[in-house]
């Protein structure tokens, strides 16, 4: 309503933005900025930034970039210029243009390295670096953030990202150390179950299944309803099998099957249970589990291993015709795989 004063219209637009009605806020702010009466208002730079945030939050990334860039000369104060560049960078990243995002986010930190959202900018800059396939720069950015803002939620989130990077590169001891730091900090409670799982999984991958039990068991005790619980029970099952605790392993893996009726984790659980059956000299039961895996998880990532183990389980349970068919299937599907040659 153009009859309302600019200040009242700003309050309405900001209420819409804070209430999560981003499309309405974007429209309201747009109409406010188009009004000639607001052209020289001292609050206009603030309104542009809030309009940019509303437009970005509404998913209109290119509009947000244009709006902010068209008004860059209005941002004479370093914190506001930093925020403007942050909005441009965030919009580019959301639009899957990571290189442009990196440039804008770096400009934001250069404009004011200590503005109130500098830690958020640095966290996003690391994401943009990673999306640009520059893992080294992402690690550098997140390390600096985790050091400078060690006690802030963004600093802890940066350390969590560092743990993920280390795990992805196979540096499991380093990943475990970073996950332990995040889990112990208590700064971001939402990261505790994820970090405990990450700690346990990486200890397992580092050949320390006994050490993995404590953080994994803590997840099942304290975060039983968390989405990560099924993966945690899977990791527990693998750890326990590795330690020779067969009955406890089977119990965890059976729980996974109850929780996960389909998908990769179901496949992992069936595969682990089949390995236990093989260890216990029960090839027929192993063959049934692997047949279930092939049927229920056709896109299982290690299907070559599944077909190989299934073939031998069939052969050892004297289902020779079916074993031959499965061996043939392995050779046809993975002709260059060493398992096929074997």
């Amino acid at each position: 309503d153009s009859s309302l004063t600019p200040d009242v219209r700003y309050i309405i637009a900001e209420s819409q933005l804070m209430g999560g009605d981003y499309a309405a806020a974007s429209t309201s702010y747009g109409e406010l900025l188009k009004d000639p009466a607001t052209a020289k208002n001292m609050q206009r730079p603030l309104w542009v930034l809030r309009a940019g945030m509303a437009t970005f939050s509404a998913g209109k990334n290119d509009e947000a970039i244009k709006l902010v860039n068209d008004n860059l000369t209005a941002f004479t104060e370093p914190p506001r210029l930093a925020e403007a560049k942050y909005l441009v960078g965030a919009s580019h990243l959301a639009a899957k243009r990571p290189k442009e995002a990196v440039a804008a986010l770096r400009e934001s930190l250069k404009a004011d390295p200590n503005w109130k959202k500098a830690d958020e900018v640095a966290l996003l800059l690391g994401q943009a670096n990673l999306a640009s396939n520059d893992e080294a720069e992402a690690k550098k950015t997140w390390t600096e953030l985790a050091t400078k803002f060690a006690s802030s939620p963004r600093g802890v989130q940066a350390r969590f990202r560092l743990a993920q990077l280390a795990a992805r590169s196979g540096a499991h001891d380093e990943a475990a150390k970073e996950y332990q730091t995040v889990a112990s900090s208590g700064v971001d409670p939402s990261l505790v179950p994820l970090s405990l799982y990450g700690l346990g999984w990486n200890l397992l991958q580092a050949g320390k299944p006994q050490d993995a039990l404590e953080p994994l068991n803590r997840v099942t005790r304290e975060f039983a309803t968390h989405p990560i619980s099924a993966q945690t029970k899977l990791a527990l099952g693998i750890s326990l099998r590795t330690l020779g605790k067969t009955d406890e392993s089977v119990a965890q893996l059976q729980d996974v099957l109850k929780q996960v009726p389909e998908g990769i984790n179901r496949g992992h659980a069936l595969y682990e249970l089949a390995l236990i059956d093989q260890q216990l000299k029960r090839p027929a039961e192993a063959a049934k589990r692997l047949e279930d895996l092939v049927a229920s998880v056709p896109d299982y990532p290690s299907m070559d291993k599944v077909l190989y183990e299934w073939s031998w389980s069939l052969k050892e349970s004297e289902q020779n015709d079916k074993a031959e068919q499965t061996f043939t299937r392995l050779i046809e599907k993975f002709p260059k795989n060493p398992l096929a040659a074997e």
Side-chain angles (χ1 to χ4, degrees), residues 214-227:
E214 194 281 325
L216 294 173
N217 276 318
R218 185 179 163 193
V219 176
T220 61
R221 288 194 311 269
E222 299 179 22
F223 306 97
T225 60
H226 194 280

Side-chain angles (χ1 to χ4, degrees), residues 174-206:
E174 180 184 344
K177 181 181 177 181
E178 297 286 15
Y179 279 127
Q180 178 69 72
T181 301
V182 175
S184 301
S185 72
V187 173
D188 188 338
S190 69
L191 291 179
V192 173
L194 298 173
S195 297
L196 289 170
Y197 166 75
L199 171 59
W201 178 253
N202 280 278
L203 287 170
L204 174 60
Q205 296 302 305

Side-chain angles (χ1 to χ4, degrees), residues 140-318:
K140 177 184 175 185
T141 300
W142 285 332
T143 299
E144 291 173 354
L145 171 57
T147 302
K148 185 176 180 179
F149 298 97
S151 60
S152 81
R154 299 291 186 238
V156 172
Q157 288 166 23
R159 195 162 294 286
F160 183 80
R161 302 295 174 83
L162 289 170
Q164 291 178 312
L165 279 183
R168 192 170 76 171
S169 67
H172 298 297
D173 286 327
E174 180 184 344
K177 181 181 177 181
E178 297 286 15
Y179 279 127
Q180 178 69 72
T181 301
V182 175
S184 301
S185 72
V187 173
D188 188 338
S190 69
L191 291 179
V192 173
L194 298 173
S195 297
L196 289 170
Y197 166 75
L199 171 59
W201 178 253
N202 280 278
L203 287 170
L204 174 60
Q205 296 302 305
K208 303 173 184 176
Q210 184 65 49
D211 293 341
L213 296 182
E214 194 281 325
L216 294 173
N217 276 318
R218 185 179 163 193
V219 176
T220 61
R221 288 194 311 269
E222 299 179 22
F223 306 97
T225 60
H226 194 280
I228 201 68
S229 65
Q231 284 177 255
T232 303
K233 289 179 180 179
L234 176 62
L236 263 175
I238 297 171
S239 298
L240 291 163
R241 177 182 66 77
T242 305
L243 293 167
K245 300 180 179 182
T246 303
D247 291 343
E248 294 176 60
S249 174
V250 169
Q252 294 293 338
L253 296 169
Q254 292 286 10
D255 276 351
V256 175
L257 295 181
K258 292 175 185 176
Q259 278 187 252
V260 185
E262 58 186 8
I264 301 300
N265 284 331
R266 175 181 176 80
H268 290 326
L270 286 168
Y271 186 75
E272 289 295 321
L273 286 166
L275 292 181
I276 291 173
D277 285 327
Q278 289 175 339
Q279 290 173 356
L280 297 176
K281 308 299 182 185
R282 299 190 304 224
E285 288 83 349
K288 287 180 182 178
R289 294 198 196 275
L290 293 167
E291 184 172 12
D292 182 0
L293 195 166
V294 172
S296 61
V297 194
D299 57 346
Y300 189 70
S302 300
M303 188 59 75
D304 55 339
K305 294 181 181 179
V306 172
L307 292 174
Y308 178 78
E309 297 293 347
W310 185 19
S311 300
W312 278 110
S313 294
L314 289 166
K315 185 174 179 61
E316 290 171 2
S317 59
E318 298 183 353

Side-chain angles (χ1 to χ4, degrees), residues 31-78:
E31 291 173 353
L32 175 62
L33 293 173
K34 288 177 184 176
D35 186 345
T38 68
K40 296 184 179 180
N41 193 298
M42 292 180 61
Q43 295 298 313
R44 186 176 177 85
L46 171 62
W47 297 343
V48 171
L49 290 173
R50 302 307 287 163
M53 177 58 74
T55 305
F56 162 67
S57 299
K60 297 183 285 187
N61 301 307
D62 289 335
E63 287 185 37
I65 292 168
K66 185 177 188 308
L67 172 63
V68 174
N69 282 338
D70 285 351
N71 290 273
L72 275 182
T73 56
F75 307 121
T76 56
E77 300 173 14

